[in-house]
Amino acid sequence: GNFTNYTYNYDYWQDEIEMPDAYRVEQVIYSDTLGLEVPMNKPQSLYIRDSFVYVADTGNNRVLELERRGSEFVLTRIIDKINGVEPANLSSPSDMLVDEAGNIYICDTGNHRIISVNIESKKVTVIAGGEEGYADGSAKNARFCNPQGVAVGKDGTVYVADTVNHAVRQIKDGYVTTLAVSRETPDAPVQPRGILVQGNKLYVTDLFAQTILELDLSPISYKDVPAGHWAEEFIVEATERGITGGTGNGMFSPNRTVTRAMLVVMLSRMHQNVDGNAVIDGDASFPDVAETAWCADEISWAADLGLITGYANGNFGPNDPVTRQQLVTILYRYARYSGLDLSVGENTNILS
């Protein structure tokens, strides 16, 4: 970060912070000059806000707050334990930033979560995560694995380099989705680490592949879904979550018929939004669904779970349109498989 003509570098191996000018090191902050009883241990990132410098002292499971007073830096706060959440101790915090409202966003890497701490009130919020795994969905139920990069857009969307899951994730309106993951596209990062928002672009460094990934954050829109369309919100949301997509040339084709294959594919993607570790595959087969078909794995998965069945002649009919009765039946079976309450009663379940 930069302010008042200084650039701040952290030295991972020497456990120190350098303040160089354009030609030479201007100042080095050592642990003993800060009065730290426990010396810094592999500091990995820092962030500047006004006269304060925040340092992720990764090896010591803490964040340091330093204040610049003239030519000196003074230790003003140590953040290592956070009240009101479990676990209370930070674990290998690796990246962080401070937003305009004074919230410190921290990649609590060892705890597989993203948290924020308000500088003034000291209120702590778990933004998402808390258990190791890979799952999109509500922020409470989402799972990360050793996230090591965080960025925040102007609209408050939080972007995460989910390093060990080989994925780039976003947290928006209390919901976690995946923007890119290596198992779905060769262009996705293998080991994402640094992450930065610049306008409508998201840049991600890949430590393993030694590349920089650029993602487009432009708002989703379709030529045939005008602003104010009754389904616009849901079409955009489904697209953002990867459940569906356009039909080409910037079109969504909102009045187009959905086929049986399309429905099953969308259902499988929705399931992966809930359980990111789900494997979409199976053993079931149908004579009219080739093993290499674009929807083959999804149809096998759904058939193995009993969500779908074929016709009496043994075929599945992937290109047949979905009837209303078929749609209700498949959704009911999926709800039952997911453990939702299907009993009938006022305000108690999805069928009320």
Side-chain angles (χ1 to χ4, degrees):
N2 295 295
F3 77 97
T4 58
N5 298 322
Y6 286 92
T7 301
Y8 297 76
N9 301 323
Y10 55 87
D11 191 324
Y12 180 87
W13 296 110
Q14 297 298 323
D15 301 328
E16 62 191 28
I17 304 171
E18 299 176 350
M19 310 320 199
D21 63 15
Y23 304 101
R24 61 187 175 83
V25 174
E26 178 72 17
Q27 184 178 359
V28 178
I29 300 178
Y30 294 100
S31 295
D32 55 358
T33 64
L34 295 173
L36 287 169
E37 295 182 2
V38 178
M40 286 186 287
N41 183 8
K42 298 180 176 58
Q44 287 199 43
S45 68
L46 52 79
Y47 200 87
I48 313 303
R49 183 177 187 265
D50 300 327
S51 61
F52 291 90
V53 180
Y54 296 89
V55 182
D57 189 8
T58 308
N60 286 323
N61 305 311
R62 63 189 183 183
V63 171
L64 308 177
E65 180 188 76
L66 315 179
E67 184 180 10
R68 186 181 185 89
R69 298 177 181 173
S71 61
E72 301 296 326
F73 281 84
V74 178
L75 176 67
T76 53
R77 189 190 311 184
I78 296 177
I79 303 173
D80 56 358
K81 293 184 178 180
I82 47 181
N83 298 321
V85 298
E86 291 293 339
N89 295 326
L90 294 181
S91 178
S92 301
S94 58
D95 193 24
M96 62 187 175
L97 60 85
V98 184
D99 68 8
E100 295 181 357
N103 297 303
I104 310 173
Y105 288 82
I106 304 172
C107 268
D108 192 7
T109 302
N111 287 323
H112 314 289
R113 65 187 179 184
I114 308 299
I115 67 172
S116 71
V117 181
N118 185 269
I119 294 174
E120 299 299 330
S121 69
K122 300 182 181 180
K123 178 182 178 181
V124 178
T125 303
V126 177
I127 304 299
E131 292 186 20
E132 182 178 0
Y134 176 63
D136 286 339
S138 67
K140 180 180 179 181
N141 296 322
R143 299 289 179 264
F144 297 85
C145 189
N146 297 117
Q148 296 180 33
V150 63
V152 179
K154 290 184 178 180
D155 64 350
T157 300
V158 179
Y159 301 96
V160 180
D162 193 3
T163 307
V164 178
N165 278 328
H166 321 294
V168 179
R169 320 279 292 280
Q170 77 169 12
I171 310 168
K172 183 177 181 180
D173 298 328
Y175 204 91
V176 177
T177 56
T178 296
L179 298 177
V181 60
S182 60
R183 69 184 184 185
E184 293 182 359
T185 170
D187 295 328
V190 179
Q191 196 174 37
R193 184 71 62 84
I195 189 166
L196 173 69
V197 179
Q198 193 73 21
N200 285 330
K201 301 293 184 181
L202 183 67
Y203 297 93
V204 185
T205 62
D206 190 330
L207 183 67
F208 183 85
Q210 301 182 47
T211 58
I212 298 176
L213 178 69
E214 180 186 86
L215 298 176
D216 188 2
L217 300 177
S218 300
I220 294 172
S221 64
Y222 294 103
K223 297 176 183 177
D224 54 352
V225 182
H229 186 284
W230 69 271
E232 179 190 15
E233 175 186 355
F234 311 108
I235 291 172
V236 170
E237 184 79 9
T239 303
E240 287 182 344
R241 297 188 185 185
I243 297 172
T244 186
T247 54
N249 298 318
M251 309 293 280
F252 181 75
S253 304
N255 296 315
R256 179 177 172 180
T257 300
V258 173
T259 66
R260 287 163 59 86
M262 289 178 185
L263 174 61
V264 169
V265 170
M266 287 189 284
L267 193 64
S268 71
R269 292 174 179 173
M270 184 174 71
H271 182 64
Q272 285 184 307
N273 265 240
V274 178
D275 180 6
N277 292 314
V279 177
I280 305 301
D281 198 357
D283 298 321
S285 62
F286 296 94
D288 57 343
V289 180
E291 291 184 4
T292 56
W294 68 277
C295 53
D297 290 343
E298 291 84 353
I299 290 174
S300 293
W301 165 80
D304 279 1
L305 294 180
L307 308 182
I308 60 171
T309 58
Y311 295 125
N313 62 4
N315 289 333
F316 176 69
N319 298 318
D320 291 351
V322 176
T323 65
R324 287 166 58 86
Q325 59 187 355
Q326 290 172 349
L327 176 62
V328 169
T329 300
I330 293 171
L331 292 179
Y332 182 92
R333 289 170 177 166
Y334 178 75
R336 182 174 57 192
Y337 164 73
S338 300
L340 297 178
D341 180 8
L342 299 176
S343 59
V344 177
E346 184 177 359
N347 300 323
T348 61
N349 57 83
I350 64 171
L351 299 181
S352 296

